[in-house]
Each structure stands twice: as C-alpha cells, then as structure tokens.
Coordinates of all heavy atoms in Angstrom, one line a residue:
M665 N 18.5 14.5 -0.3 CA 17.1 14.9 -0.3 C 16.6 15.5 1.0 O 17.2 15.1 2.0 CB 16.2 13.7 -0.6 CG 16.2 13.1 -1.9 SD 15.2 11.6 -2.0 CE 13.6 12.3 -1.8
I666 N 15.7 16.4 0.9 CA 15.1 17.0 2.2 C 14.1 16.1 2.8 O 13.2 15.6 2.1 CB 14.5 18.4 1.8 CG1 15.5 19.4 1.2 CG2 13.8 19.0 3.1 CD1 16.6 19.8 2.1
C667 N 14.2 15.8 4.1 CA 13.3 14.9 4.8 C 12.0 15.7 5.0 O 12.0 16.8 5.5 CB 13.9 14.5 6.1 SG 12.8 13.6 7.1
E668 N 10.9 15.0 4.7 CA 9.6 15.6 4.9 C 9.2 15.7 6.3 O 8.3 16.4 6.7 CB 8.5 14.9 4.1 CG 8.5 15.1 2.6 CD 7.4 14.3 1.9 OE1 6.4 13.9 2.5 OE2 7.6 14.1 0.7
I669 N 9.8 14.9 7.2 CA 9.5 14.8 8.6 C 10.2 15.9 9.4 O 9.6 16.7 10.1 CB 9.8 13.4 9.2 CG1 9.3 12.3 8.3 CG2 9.2 13.3 10.6 CD1 7.7 12.2 8.2
C670 N 11.6 15.9 9.3 CA 12.4 16.8 10.1 C 13.0 18.0 9.3 O 13.5 18.9 9.9 CB 13.5 16.0 10.8 SG 14.7 15.4 9.7
G671 N 12.9 17.9 8.0 CA 13.4 19.0 7.2 C 14.9 19.1 6.9 O 15.4 20.0 6.3
K672 N 15.6 18.1 7.4 CA 17.0 18.1 7.3 C 17.4 17.4 5.9 O 16.7 16.6 5.4 CB 17.7 17.3 8.4 CG 17.6 18.1 9.7 CD 18.5 17.4 10.8 CE 18.4 18.3 12.0 NZ 18.2 17.5 13.2
N673 N 18.6 17.7 5.5 CA 19.0 17.2 4.2 C 19.7 15.8 4.4 O 20.8 15.6 3.9 CB 19.9 18.2 3.5 CG 20.2 17.8 2.0 OD1 19.5 17.0 1.5 ND2 21.2 18.4 1.4
S674 N 19.0 14.9 5.0 CA 19.6 13.6 5.3 C 18.8 12.4 4.8 O 19.0 11.3 5.2 CB 19.7 13.4 6.9 OG 20.4 14.6 7.4
A675 N 17.8 12.7 4.0 CA 17.0 11.7 3.4 C 17.6 11.1 2.2 O 18.1 11.7 1.4 CB 15.6 12.2 3.2
R676 N 17.4 9.7 2.1 CA 17.9 9.0 0.9 C 16.7 8.1 0.5 O 16.0 7.5 1.3 CB 19.1 8.1 1.3 CG 20.3 8.9 1.6 CD 21.4 8.6 0.7 NE 22.3 9.7 0.5 CZ 23.2 10.1 1.4 NH1 23.3 9.5 2.6 NH2 24.0 11.1 1.2
R677 N 16.7 7.9 -0.8 CA 15.7 7.0 -1.4 C 16.3 5.6 -1.5 O 17.5 5.4 -1.9 CB 15.4 7.4 -2.8 CG 14.3 6.6 -3.5 CD 14.2 7.1 -4.9 NE 13.5 8.4 -5.0 CZ 12.2 8.6 -5.3 NH1 11.5 7.5 -5.5 NH2 11.7 9.8 -5.3
K678 N 15.6 4.6 -1.0 CA 16.0 3.2 -1.2 C 14.9 2.3 -1.6 O 13.7 2.7 -1.4 CB 16.8 2.7 0.0 CG 15.9 2.6 1.3 CD 16.7 2.0 2.5 CE 15.9 0.8 3.0 NZ 16.6 0.1 4.1
Q679 N 15.2 1.1 -2.1 CA 14.2 0.2 -2.6 C 14.0 -0.9 -1.6 O 14.9 -1.5 -1.1 CB 14.7 -0.4 -3.9 CG 15.3 0.7 -4.9 CD 14.3 1.0 -6.0 OE1 13.7 0.2 -6.5 NE2 14.3 2.3 -6.3
V680 N 12.7 -1.2 -1.3 CA 12.4 -2.3 -0.4 C 11.4 -3.2 -1.0 O 10.7 -2.8 -2.0 CB 11.9 -1.8 1.0 CG1 12.9 -0.9 1.7 CG2 10.6 -1.0 0.8
D681 N 11.2 -4.4 -0.4 CA 10.2 -5.3 -0.8 C 9.2 -5.4 0.3 O 9.5 -5.4 1.5 CB 10.8 -6.8 -1.0 CG 11.9 -6.8 -2.1 OD1 11.9 -5.9 -2.9 OD2 12.6 -7.8 -2.1
R682 N 7.9 -5.3 -0.1 CA 6.9 -5.4 1.0 C 5.9 -6.5 0.6 O 5.5 -6.7 -0.6 CB 6.1 -4.0 1.1 CG 6.9 -2.9 1.7 CD 6.8 -3.0 3.2 NE 7.9 -2.3 3.9 CZ 7.8 -1.0 4.2 NH1 6.8 -0.3 4.0 NH2 8.9 -0.4 4.8
S683 N 5.2 -7.1 1.6 CA 4.2 -8.1 1.3 C 2.9 -7.5 1.8 O 2.8 -6.8 2.8 CB 4.5 -9.4 2.0 OG 4.5 -9.3 3.4
Y684 N 1.8 -7.8 1.1 CA 0.5 -7.3 1.4 C -0.5 -8.4 1.4 O -0.4 -9.4 0.6 CB 0.0 -6.2 0.3 CG 0.9 -5.0 0.3 CD1 2.0 -4.9 -0.4 CD2 0.6 -4.0 1.2 CE1 2.8 -3.8 -0.4 CE2 1.3 -2.8 1.3 CZ 2.5 -2.8 0.5 OH 3.2 -1.6 0.5
G685 N -1.5 -8.4 2.3 CA -2.5 -9.4 2.4 C -1.9 -10.7 3.1 O -0.8 -10.7 3.6
K686 N -2.7 -11.8 3.0 CA -2.2 -13.0 3.6 C -2.8 -14.2 2.9 O -3.8 -14.0 2.1 CB -2.5 -13.1 5.1 CG -3.9 -12.9 5.5 CD -4.1 -13.1 7.0 CE -3.8 -11.9 7.8 NZ -4.3 -12.0 9.2
R687 N -2.3 -15.4 3.1 CA -2.7 -16.7 2.5 C -2.8 -16.5 1.0 O -1.9 -16.1 0.4 CB -4.0 -17.1 3.1 CG -3.8 -17.6 4.6 CD -5.2 -17.8 5.3 NE -5.0 -18.0 6.7 CZ -4.8 -19.3 7.2 NH1 -4.8 -20.3 6.4 NH2 -4.6 -19.4 8.5
E688 N -4.0 -16.8 0.4 CA -4.1 -16.8 -1.0 C -4.1 -15.4 -1.6 O -4.0 -15.2 -2.8 CB -5.3 -17.6 -1.5 CG -6.7 -17.1 -1.0 CD -7.1 -17.7 0.3 OE1 -6.2 -18.3 1.0 OE2 -8.3 -17.6 0.6
N689 N -4.3 -14.4 -0.7 CA -4.3 -13.0 -1.2 C -2.9 -12.4 -1.0 O -2.7 -11.2 -1.3 CB -5.3 -12.2 -0.4 CG -6.7 -12.6 -0.8 OD1 -7.0 -12.9 -1.9 ND2 -7.6 -12.7 0.2
L690 N -1.9 -13.2 -0.6 CA -0.6 -12.6 -0.3 C 0.0 -12.2 -1.6 O -0.1 -12.9 -2.6 CB 0.3 -13.7 0.3 CG 1.7 -13.3 0.6 CD1 1.7 -12.2 1.7 CD2 2.5 -14.5 1.0
M691 N 0.5 -11.0 -1.6 CA 1.2 -10.4 -2.7 C 2.4 -9.7 -2.3 O 2.4 -9.0 -1.3 CB 0.3 -9.5 -3.5 CG 1.0 -8.7 -4.5 SD -0.1 -7.7 -5.6 CE -1.0 -6.9 -4.3
I692 N 3.5 -9.9 -3.0 CA 4.8 -9.2 -2.7 C 5.1 -8.2 -3.8 O 5.0 -8.6 -5.0 CB 5.9 -10.2 -2.5 CG1 5.7 -11.1 -1.2 CG2 7.3 -9.5 -2.4 CD1 6.5 -12.3 -1.2
I693 N 5.3 -7.0 -3.4 CA 5.7 -6.0 -4.3 C 7.1 -5.7 -4.1 O 7.5 -5.4 -3.0 CB 4.8 -4.7 -4.2 CG1 3.3 -5.1 -4.3 CG2 5.2 -3.7 -5.3 CD1 2.4 -3.9 -4.2
E694 N 7.9 -5.8 -5.1 CA 9.4 -5.6 -5.0 C 9.8 -4.1 -5.5 O 9.1 -3.5 -6.3 CB 10.2 -6.6 -5.8 CG 9.9 -8.0 -5.3 CD 10.7 -9.0 -6.1 OE1 10.7 -9.0 -7.3 OE2 11.3 -9.9 -5.5
N695 N 10.9 -3.7 -4.9 CA 11.5 -2.5 -5.3 C 10.6 -1.2 -5.1 O 10.6 -0.4 -6.1 CB 12.0 -2.6 -6.8 CG 13.0 -3.7 -7.0 OD1 13.9 -3.9 -6.2 ND2 12.8 -4.4 -8.1
I696 N 9.9 -1.2 -4.1 CA 9.1 0.0 -3.7 C 10.1 1.1 -3.2 O 10.9 0.8 -2.3 CB 8.1 -0.3 -2.6 CG1 7.2 -1.5 -3.0 CG2 7.3 0.9 -2.3 CD1 6.3 -2.0 -2.0
P697 N 10.0 2.3 -3.8 CA 10.9 3.3 -3.3 C 10.4 3.9 -1.9 O 9.3 4.3 -1.8 CB 10.8 4.4 -4.4 CG 9.5 4.1 -5.1 CD 9.2 2.7 -4.9
V698 N 11.4 3.9 -1.0 CA 11.0 4.4 0.3 C 12.1 5.4 0.7 O 13.3 5.3 0.3 CB 11.1 3.2 1.4 CG1 11.1 3.8 2.8 CG2 10.0 2.2 1.2
I699 N 11.7 6.5 1.3 CA 12.6 7.6 1.7 C 13.0 7.3 3.2 O 12.1 7.1 4.0 CB 11.9 9.0 1.6 CG1 11.1 9.1 0.3 CG2 12.9 10.1 1.8 CD1 11.9 9.1 -0.9
K700 N 14.3 7.2 3.4 CA 14.8 6.9 4.7 C 15.6 8.0 5.1 O 16.6 8.5 4.4 CB 15.6 5.6 4.7 CG 16.2 5.2 6.0 CD 15.6 3.9 6.5 CE 16.3 3.4 7.8 NZ 16.0 4.2 9.0
C701 N 15.4 8.6 6.3 CA 16.2 9.7 6.8 C 17.1 9.3 8.0 O 16.7 8.6 8.9 CB 15.2 10.7 7.4 SG 16.1 12.2 8.1
S702 N 18.4 9.6 7.8 CA 19.3 9.2 8.8 C 19.4 10.2 10.0 O 19.9 9.8 11.1 CB 20.7 9.1 8.3 OG 21.1 10.3 7.6
A703 N 18.8 11.4 9.9 CA 18.8 12.3 11.0 C 17.7 12.0 12.0 O 17.9 11.9 13.2 CB 18.5 13.7 10.4
C704 N 16.4 11.7 11.5 CA 15.3 11.4 12.5 C 15.0 10.0 12.5 O 14.2 9.5 13.4 CB 14.1 12.3 12.1 SG 13.4 11.9 10.6
G705 N 15.6 9.2 11.6 CA 15.3 7.7 11.6 C 14.0 7.3 11.0 O 13.6 6.1 11.0
E706 N 13.2 8.3 10.5 CA 12.0 7.9 9.9 C 12.2 7.4 8.4 O 13.1 7.7 7.8 CB 11.1 9.2 9.7 CG 10.5 9.7 11.0 CD 9.5 8.8 11.6 OE1 8.9 8.0 10.9 OE2 9.3 8.8 12.8
S707 N 11.3 6.4 8.1 CA 11.2 6.0 6.7 C 9.7 6.1 6.3 O 8.8 5.8 7.0 CB 11.8 4.6 6.5 OG 11.0 3.7 7.3
Y708 N 9.5 6.6 5.1 CA 8.2 6.8 4.6 C 8.1 6.7 3.1 O 9.1 6.8 2.4 CB 7.7 8.1 5.1 CG 8.5 9.3 4.7 CD1 8.2 10.0 3.5 CD2 9.6 9.7 5.4 CE1 9.0 11.0 3.1 CE2 10.3 10.8 5.0 CZ 10.1 11.5 3.9 OH 10.9 12.5 3.4
M709 N 6.9 6.5 2.6 CA 6.7 6.5 1.2 C 5.9 7.8 0.8 O 5.2 8.3 1.6 CB 5.8 5.3 0.8 CG 6.4 4.0 1.0 SD 5.2 2.6 0.8 CE 6.0 1.3 1.6
T710 N 6.2 8.2 -0.4 CA 5.5 9.4 -0.9 C 4.1 9.1 -1.2 O 3.7 7.9 -1.4 CB 6.2 10.0 -2.2 OG1 6.1 9.0 -3.2 CG2 7.6 10.3 -1.9
A711 N 3.2 10.1 -1.3 CA 1.8 9.9 -1.7 C 1.7 9.2 -3.0 O 0.8 8.3 -3.3 CB 1.1 11.2 -1.7
E712 N 2.6 9.6 -3.9 CA 2.6 9.0 -5.3 C 2.9 7.5 -5.2 O 2.3 6.7 -5.9 CB 3.7 9.7 -6.1 CG 3.7 9.5 -7.6 CD 4.9 10.1 -8.2 OE1 5.5 11.0 -7.6 OE2 5.2 9.7 -9.3
T713 N 3.8 7.1 -4.4 CA 4.2 5.7 -4.2 C 3.0 4.9 -3.6 O 2.6 3.8 -4.1 CB 5.4 5.5 -3.3 OG1 6.5 6.2 -3.9 CG2 5.8 4.1 -3.2
L714 N 2.3 5.5 -2.6 CA 1.2 4.8 -2.0 C 0.1 4.6 -3.0 O -0.6 3.6 -3.0 CB 0.7 5.6 -0.8 CG 1.6 5.7 0.4 CD1 1.2 6.7 1.4 CD2 1.7 4.3 1.1
H715 N -0.1 5.6 -3.8 CA -1.2 5.6 -4.9 C -0.8 4.4 -5.8 O -1.7 3.7 -6.2 CB -1.2 6.9 -5.6 CG -2.3 7.0 -6.6 ND1 -3.6 7.3 -6.3 CD2 -2.3 6.9 -7.9 CE1 -4.3 7.3 -7.4 NE2 -3.5 7.1 -8.4
E716 N 0.4 4.3 -6.2 CA 0.9 3.3 -7.1 C 0.7 1.9 -6.6 O 0.2 1.0 -7.3 CB 2.3 3.5 -7.5 CG 2.9 2.7 -8.6 CD 2.2 2.8 -10.0 OE1 1.5 3.8 -10.2 OE2 2.4 1.9 -10.8
I717 N 0.9 1.8 -5.3 CA 0.7 0.5 -4.6 C -0.8 0.1 -4.6 O -1.1 -1.1 -5.0 CB 1.2 0.5 -3.2 CG1 2.7 0.6 -3.1 CG2 0.7 -0.7 -2.4 CD1 3.4 0.9 -1.8
E718 N -1.6 1.0 -4.4 CA -3.1 0.8 -4.5 C -3.5 0.3 -5.9 O -4.3 -0.6 -6.1 CB -3.9 2.0 -4.1 CG -3.9 2.3 -2.6 CD -4.3 1.1 -1.7 OE1 -5.3 0.5 -2.1 OE2 -3.6 0.8 -0.8
R719 N -2.9 0.9 -6.9 CA -3.2 0.6 -8.3 C -2.8 -0.8 -8.6 O -3.5 -1.6 -9.2 CB -2.5 1.6 -9.2 CG -3.0 1.6 -10.6 CD -2.2 2.5 -11.5 NE -0.8 2.0 -11.6 CZ -0.5 1.0 -12.5 NH1 -1.4 0.4 -13.2 NH2 0.8 0.6 -12.5
I720 N -1.5 -1.2 -8.1 CA -1.1 -2.5 -8.3 C -2.0 -3.6 -7.7 O -2.3 -4.6 -8.2 CB 0.4 -2.7 -7.9 CG1 1.3 -1.8 -8.7 CG2 0.8 -4.1 -7.8 CD1 2.7 -1.6 -8.2
K721 N -2.4 -3.3 -6.4 CA -3.2 -4.2 -5.7 C -4.6 -4.4 -6.4 O -5.1 -5.5 -6.5 CB -3.5 -3.7 -4.3 CG -2.3 -4.1 -3.4 CD -2.1 -3.1 -2.2 CE -3.2 -3.2 -1.2 NZ -2.9 -2.4 0.0
L722 N -5.2 -3.3 -6.9 CA -6.4 -3.4 -7.6 C -6.3 -4.2 -8.9 O -7.1 -5.0 -9.3 CB -7.0 -2.0 -7.9 CG -7.6 -1.2 -6.8 CD1 -7.9 0.1 -7.2 CD2 -8.8 -1.9 -6.2
Q723 N -5.2 -3.9 -9.6 CA -5.0 -4.6 -10.9 C -4.8 -6.1 -10.7 O -5.3 -6.9 -11.4 CB -3.7 -4.1 -11.4 CG -3.5 -4.2 -12.9 CD -2.3 -3.4 -13.4 OE1 -1.2 -3.6 -12.9 NE2 -2.5 -2.6 -14.4
R724 N -4.2 -6.5 -9.6 CA -4.0 -7.9 -9.3 C -5.3 -8.6 -9.0 O -5.5 -9.7 -9.4 CB -3.0 -8.0 -8.1 CG -3.3 -9.0 -7.0 CD -2.5 -10.3 -7.3 NE -2.9 -11.2 -6.3 CZ -2.2 -12.2 -5.7 NH1 -0.9 -12.2 -6.1 NH2 -2.6 -13.0 -4.9
Q725 N -6.2 -7.9 -8.3 CA -7.5 -8.5 -8.0 C -8.3 -8.8 -9.3 O -9.0 -9.8 -9.3 CB -8.3 -7.5 -7.1 CG -8.1 -7.7 -5.6 CD -8.6 -6.6 -4.8 OE1 -9.5 -5.9 -5.2 NE2 -8.1 -6.5 -3.6
S726 N -8.2 -8.0 -10.3 CA -8.9 -8.2 -11.5 C -8.3 -9.4 -12.3 O -9.0 -9.9 -13.1 CB -8.9 -7.0 -12.4 OG -7.6 -6.7 -12.8
F727 N -7.1 -9.8 -12.0 CA -6.5 -10.9 -12.6 C -6.7 -12.2 -11.8 O -6.3 -13.3 -12.2 CB -5.0 -10.7 -12.9 CG -4.7 -9.7 -14.0 CD1 -4.0 -8.6 -13.8 CD2 -5.2 -10.0 -15.3 CE1 -3.7 -7.7 -14.8 CE2 -5.0 -9.1 -16.3 CZ -4.3 -8.0 -16.1
A728 N -7.2 -12.1 -10.6 CA -7.3 -13.3 -9.7 C -8.2 -14.3 -10.3 O -9.2 -14.1 -10.9 CB -7.8 -12.8 -8.3
V729 N -7.8 -15.6 -10.0 CA -8.5 -16.7 -10.5 C -9.3 -17.4 -9.3 O -8.7 -17.6 -8.3 CB -7.5 -17.8 -11.1 CG1 -8.3 -19.0 -11.6 CG2 -6.8 -17.1 -12.3
K730 N -10.6 -17.6 -9.5 CA -11.4 -18.3 -8.5 C -11.3 -19.8 -8.8 O -11.5 -20.2 -9.9 CB -12.8 -17.8 -8.6 CG -13.0 -16.5 -7.9 CD -14.5 -16.3 -7.4 CE -14.6 -15.0 -6.6 NZ -14.5 -13.8 -7.5
R731 N -11.0 -20.6 -7.7 CA -11.0 -22.0 -7.8 C -12.1 -22.7 -7.1 O -12.5 -22.3 -6.0 CB -9.7 -22.5 -7.2 CG -8.5 -22.4 -8.2 CD -7.2 -22.9 -7.6 NE -6.9 -22.0 -6.5 CZ -5.7 -22.0 -5.9 NH1 -4.9 -22.9 -6.1 NH2 -5.5 -21.1 -4.9
N732 N -12.7 -23.7 -7.8 CA -13.8 -24.4 -7.2 C -13.2 -25.6 -6.4 O -12.4 -26.4 -6.8 CB -14.7 -25.0 -8.3 CG -15.5 -23.9 -9.0 OD1 -16.0 -22.9 -8.3 ND2 -15.6 -24.0 -10.3
I733 N -13.7 -25.8 -5.1 CA -13.3 -26.8 -4.3 C -14.4 -27.8 -4.2 O -15.6 -27.5 -3.8 CB -12.9 -26.3 -2.9 CG1 -11.7 -25.3 -3.1 CG2 -12.6 -27.4 -1.9 CD1 -11.5 -24.4 -1.8
P734 N -14.1 -29.2 -4.5 CA -15.2 -30.2 -4.4 C -15.6 -30.4 -2.9 O -14.8 -30.4 -2.0 CB -14.6 -31.4 -4.9 CG -13.1 -31.2 -4.9 CD -12.9 -29.7 -5.0
V735 N -17.0 -30.4 -2.7 CA -17.5 -30.6 -1.3 C -18.2 -31.9 -1.3 O -19.1 -32.2 -2.1 CB -18.5 -29.4 -1.0 CG1 -19.0 -29.6 0.4 CG2 -17.7 -28.1 -1.0
A736 N -17.8 -32.8 -0.3 CA -18.5 -34.1 -0.2 C -19.4 -34.1 1.0 O -19.2 -33.5 2.0 CB -17.4 -35.2 0.1
D737 N -20.6 -34.8 0.8 CA -21.6 -34.8 1.9 C -21.5 -36.2 2.6 O -21.6 -37.2 2.0 CB -23.0 -34.7 1.2 CG -24.0 -34.4 2.3 OD1 -23.7 -34.3 3.5 OD2 -25.2 -34.2 1.9
F738 N -21.2 -36.2 3.9 CA -20.9 -37.4 4.6 C -22.2 -38.1 5.1 O -22.4 -38.1 6.3 CB -19.9 -37.1 5.8 CG -19.3 -38.3 6.4 CD1 -18.2 -38.9 5.9 CD2 -19.9 -38.8 7.6 CE1 -17.7 -40.0 6.5 CE2 -19.3 -39.9 8.2 CZ -18.2 -40.5 7.7
C739 N -23.0 -38.7 4.3 CA -24.1 -39.4 4.8 C -24.7 -40.4 3.6 O -24.3 -40.3 2.5 CB -25.2 -38.6 5.3 SG -25.9 -37.4 4.1
Ligands
ZN1022 ZN1 14.2 13.3 8.9

C-alpha cells in the first residue's frame, strides 16, 4: 500500500485493539484496521475507520444502563 504520510510503498494494514474512555465508560474496540508504514514509522487510521469508531461509541452510549446507587443520610 502507498503510505499517505511519506508516499512510499511501505504501508501495511494491521489490526489493533484500542480502549476508549475510562472507568464505567471504558470500552475496548478490537480489530481496528491501522495502516503502519515501515519507511517513515507512522501508523494511522483512515477517515473511514475513525468515522466507524465514532459510530460504535455512539451506539454503545444508547445501550448504556444507568444504575441507581442507594444514598444513606448519617443523622
Ligand atoms: Zn510512510
């Protein structure tokens, strides 16, 4: 593949796992395609991939469950 950064034919597609958010909002997305170039050492995601990640994050929010935590008054 042609690298979008340096233009050399040294880019390869590989799959990575990434985590987003933290604590109860932590989400791990597996097998995200990342372009890695051995000539310039850059690794990047295509606009299409970034768009897809945003879609997955939004979808997950709509499925999120809110939990009620009991609150005690100390008096
Ligand atoms: Zn490159």
Side-chain angles (χ1 to χ4, degrees):
M665 288 177 70
I666 302 293
C667 173
E668 281 179 25
I669 314 291
C670 68
K672 290 188 178 134
N673 192 15
S674 308
R676 291 242 152 73
R677 183 186 289 259
K678 63 176 232 177
Q679 315 256 321
V680 300
D681 301 341
R682 287 276 161 90
S683 63
Y684 294 92
K686 55 175 84 165
R687 295 169 184 271
E688 64 270 18
N689 292 318
L690 180 69
M691 171 173 48
I692 293 164
I693 305 177
E694 295 180 315
N695 301 317
I696 303 171
V698 167
I699 314 297
K700 178 117 175 73
C701 176
S702 56
C704 65
E706 288 290 337
S707 61
Y708 57 91
M709 296 173 197
T710 62
E712 194 187 338
T713 301
L714 291 169
H715 185 80
E716 185 64 13
I717 289 168
E718 287 306 312
R719 196 186 64 78
I720 292 168
K721 278 155 71 176
L722 286 172
Q723 206 171 51
R724 139 98 187 213
Q725 271 166 21
S726 67
F727 287 123
V729 177
K730 284 206 171 69
R731 277 177 295 187
N732 293 317
I733 296 164
V735 179
D737 196 356
F738 192 83
C739 60

